[in-house]
Amino acid sequence: MKGIPMQTGVLRVLRATAASWWRHKELRRTGQTGQALQLERQTVLRDLGYLKQAALLPNAHVICGEGGTFIHLGWTTVSTFAPIERFPLATLVVARRTPFIDIRPVTDVIAFANLPRVARDGSIDPEPCGPGRSVSLTAYIDMVEALGGRIANDPRPRQST
């Protein structure tokens, strides 16, 4: 893949994850190994596409809260109800330097729910108020951090004091 150095460790994780899906295991158990392998290949290729998008899109980020883990890729969102520790694709995305927003420490869920969304395409609403408003990823991170969220792979420029 152009722009992302291929690592056998990444492929190994993606293949193991695809092979562990209950559907693929069931196909293997019933002797449909060929179909299981085909579906696993499709899953790995799809996940490689998500990794590529996370590396290329300016507002891509991973967010983890009590409701699960979400990989936000512009108009696409990949999610699971599990924490990031049990979502190998999200762990790989974060390991490849995509911003990670951990909202598990946030206690004011009402304030968090009222935050604007991150702009999907990098554009910002001229009037950042009201329902459906959007802000830049860095502005969103500032707001989440003020509520107690933790940030890894922070994309904000470092400020010297």
Side-chain angles (χ1 to χ4, degrees):
M1 286 177 23
K2 192 173 186 176
I4 298 178
M6 188 54 62
Q7 297 173 352
T8 57
V10 169
L11 285 174
R12 193 174 297 126
V13 168
L14 293 178
R15 285 182 183 138
T17 302
S20 71
W21 284 17
W22 70 268
R23 174 75 172 124
H24 301 165
K25 281 196 228 179
E26 185 62 19
L27 286 170
R28 286 178 188 279
R29 189 187 68 74
T30 59
Q32 300 175 38
T33 307
Q35 188 177 5
L37 286 171
Q38 179 184 1
L39 290 173
E40 289 165 13
R41 272 190 224 103
Q42 290 173 353
T43 300
V44 168
L45 289 173
R46 183 201 62 210
D47 289 351
L48 284 171
Y50 292 148
L51 283 170
K52 182 178 181 180
Q53 282 184 301
L56 298 176
L57 296 173
N59 281 346
H61 62 284
V62 176
I63 191 163
C64 180
E66 296 301 322
T69 304
F70 302 84
I71 304 171
H72 293 280
L73 304 166
W75 293 100
T76 303
T77 300
V78 184
S79 66
T80 183
F81 291 115
I84 191 167
E85 296 83 7
R86 291 195 353 247
F87 189 10
L89 178 61
T91 303
L92 287 172
V93 169
V94 171
R96 298 177 72 73
R97 308 297 300 152
T98 298
F100 173 58
I101 304 167
D102 187 352
I103 60 168
R104 291 175 286 190
V106 173
T107 56
D108 190 347
V109 293
I110 302 297
F112 178 77
N114 287 321
L115 290 179
R117 62 181 169 80
V118 174
R120 297 178 195 272
D121 59 1
S123 64
I124 300 169
D125 290 338
E127 293 197 33
C129 58
R133 65 190 174 137
S134 62
V135 297
S136 69
L137 178 59
T138 55
Y140 183 78
I141 287 173
D142 289 339
M143 293 176 204
V144 171
E145 202 170 49
L147 293 174
R150 293 185 303 246
I151 312 302
N153 302 334
D154 197 336
R156 297 174 291 185
R158 300 279 182 236
Q159 297 198 5
S160 58
T161 53

